[in-house]
Amino acid sequence: MNIQQLEYILAVDQFKSFSKAADYCHVTQATLSAMVKKLEEQLDIVIFDRKANPIATTENGREILVQALQVVAHANALLDSSKSINRKIEGKLKLGVIPTIASSLMSIILKPLMEKYPALIFEIHEQTTSQLMKSLLDGKLDLGILSTPIATSDLETELLYKEELVLYGHFGKSVIKKAELNEQRLFLLQDGHCLRDQIIQLCELKKNKFLPGNLRFESNTFDTLLNLVDDFQGMTFLPKLYSAQLSEVRKKRLIPLVEGRIEREISLCYYRPYAKWNVIKRLNEDIQELVKEKLI
């Protein structure tokens, strides 16, 4: 027995016709008739006298219809209630963001989101990818923003946007080929940052050619990388959103790659048992809209 069957018998009682009821319910007459017959068999009650013209509801059938009407009304009320709940964005959101995204994205999205959802308390945590994933699985975070793909099938992801990685540095020419990168002094984030690994893989870099022979420097911030590049006349990669925050002087040091774009995926990440579906859907749409023009 299901709600649909109850809606069918209510329609037959209303129209006194299987064909008209089928049209009203947007199904074939055969389907509706079969579902009604199955319900009668399950209840062991004849609801309709099919020999009557028009079709008549039996005495036992009228009692069933009274209860069916109540069940359908309660089901519709429950559906309306769920829609109302899903429209509400309130409470606390524990959001984790990896540092290489937080440094540029938070300044773009946080204030507009706080203004749009005044009843939602934003609790932001900067964490590495591995920390963030563990926090999601442990229920310490509701949602994460990180670079994908990730090395686990336990977490769900929803793509937010693709972000170009742009080259900053001192080269002497207006463009650079990917093959020429291994001949340059490259400053990258320290081991453990997914962005470092992505750049090495995408650009087919040789790991032993990044720094001057007598320098060992592990950096966690783009600001430090920029200063190192300027001091040692080297190069580094920056996310597109971060590069938009550079001074006009530094923007002149952005160098296009001849082969085209190198980009990373930025996604919302969550653990299904703890997922706040209404928040995930809304934030996905809002963040995409807020960053859209800045990624062009």
Side-chain angles (χ1 to χ4, degrees):
M1 182 191 308
N2 56 49
I3 300 297
Q4 195 174 53
Q5 287 174 300
L6 301 181
E7 291 176 337
Y8 289 167
I9 64 173
L10 289 171
V12 173
D13 180 66
Q14 176 182 349
F15 294 103
K16 308 301 181 186
S17 164
F18 276 85
S19 60
K20 291 180 180 178
D23 289 340
Y24 178 77
C25 295
H26 305 293
V27 294
T28 65
Q29 181 176 338
T31 296
L32 183 138
S33 181
M35 293 292 281
V36 170
K37 184 178 180 181
K38 184 176 180 180
L39 178 62
E40 289 178 320
E41 291 172 351
Q42 289 174 324
L43 297 175
D44 196 23
I45 288 175
V46 176
I47 300 175
F48 300 109
D49 181 358
R50 291 165 172 76
K51 294 180 181 179
N53 188 15
I55 287 174
T57 304
T58 66
E59 185 176 346
N60 289 337
R62 282 193 290 272
E63 294 183 24
I64 295 298
L65 284 163
V66 169
Q67 296 181 60
L69 185 61
Q70 293 175 346
V71 172
V72 171
H74 284 304
N76 289 334
L78 182 61
L79 183 60
D80 290 341
S81 177
S82 69
K83 289 179 179 178
S84 176
I85 291 170
N86 282 334
R87 284 193 291 268
K88 293 180 181 178
I89 303 292
E90 58 186 19
K92 179 186 289 187
L93 175 67
K94 294 175 288 184
L95 176 65
V97 190
I98 63 172
T100 60
I101 296 175
S103 59
S104 53
L105 183 63
M106 288 298 100
S107 62
I108 296 172
I109 69 171
L110 195 52
K111 187 175 180 180
L113 291 178
M114 291 175 64
E115 291 175 348
K116 185 172 183 178
Y117 305 113
L120 185 63
I121 300 172
F122 290 84
E123 186 178 297
I124 312 296
H125 301 267
E126 276 196 32
Q127 296 183 347
T128 64
T129 298
S130 59
Q131 291 172 335
L132 192 154
M133 290 165 58
K134 185 177 187 305
S135 295
L136 287 170
L137 292 170
D138 291 342
K140 295 178 181 178
L141 290 176
D142 300 312
L143 196 60
I145 300 178
L146 43 65
S147 182
T148 50
I150 52 176
T152 179
S153 59
D154 294 330
L155 298 171
E156 307 283 341
T157 59
E158 297 284 346
L159 179 65
L160 283 171
Y161 56 88
K162 293 185 178 181
E163 181 178 26
E164 184 181 4
L165 300 175
V166 298
L167 192 63
Y168 172 91
H170 303 263
F171 184 52
K173 294 189 288 186
S174 58
V175 297
I176 188 171
K177 296 179 180 178
K178 190 185 296 184
E180 295 177 291
L181 292 175
N182 277 304
E183 302 169 5
Q184 307 306 312
R185 179 173 295 164
L186 288 173
F187 293 91
L188 303 177
L189 294 171
Q190 70 177 33
D191 283 329
H193 282 274
C194 59
L195 183 58
R196 173 191 176 93
D197 297 332
Q198 288 171 340
I199 291 171
I200 291 173
Q201 182 179 7
L202 291 170
C203 297
E204 302 175 357
L205 299 177
K206 299 174 183 177
K207 295 184 179 182
N208 61 348
K209 292 242 180 151
F210 297 159
L211 295 175
N214 61 341
L215 175 63
R216 294 293 178 268
F217 196 112
E218 293 191 344
S219 174
N220 277 316
T221 69
F222 294 124
D223 284 344
T224 302
L225 289 179
L226 288 169
N227 291 331
L228 286 170
V229 168
D230 290 341
D231 288 342
F232 289 94
Q233 302 296 293
M235 293 182 178
T236 192
F237 279 92
L238 303 171
K240 175 80 170 184
L241 293 180
Y242 184 88
S243 70
Q245 303 173 350
L246 297 178
S247 66
E248 292 304 315
V249 172
R250 278 184 159 168
K251 283 181 179 178
K252 294 178 180 178
R253 296 174 186 155
L254 296 175
I255 309 167
L257 278 171
V258 173
E259 289 87 353
R261 291 166 61 97
I262 294 176
E263 57 187 18
R264 62 174 179 171
E265 291 183 353
I266 307 300
S267 300
L268 287 178
C269 186
Y270 55 91
Y271 186 40
R272 184 173 287 271
Y274 306 137
K276 295 184 176 181
W277 301 108
N278 53 331
V279 175
I280 292 170
K281 182 177 184 298
R282 295 287 189 87
L283 291 191
N284 194 325
E285 294 171 353
D286 291 335
I287 293 174
Q288 288 186 33
E289 187 63 29
L290 287 168
V291 303
K292 181 171 58 177
E293 292 184 2
K294 298 182 182 294
L295 292 171
I296 298 174

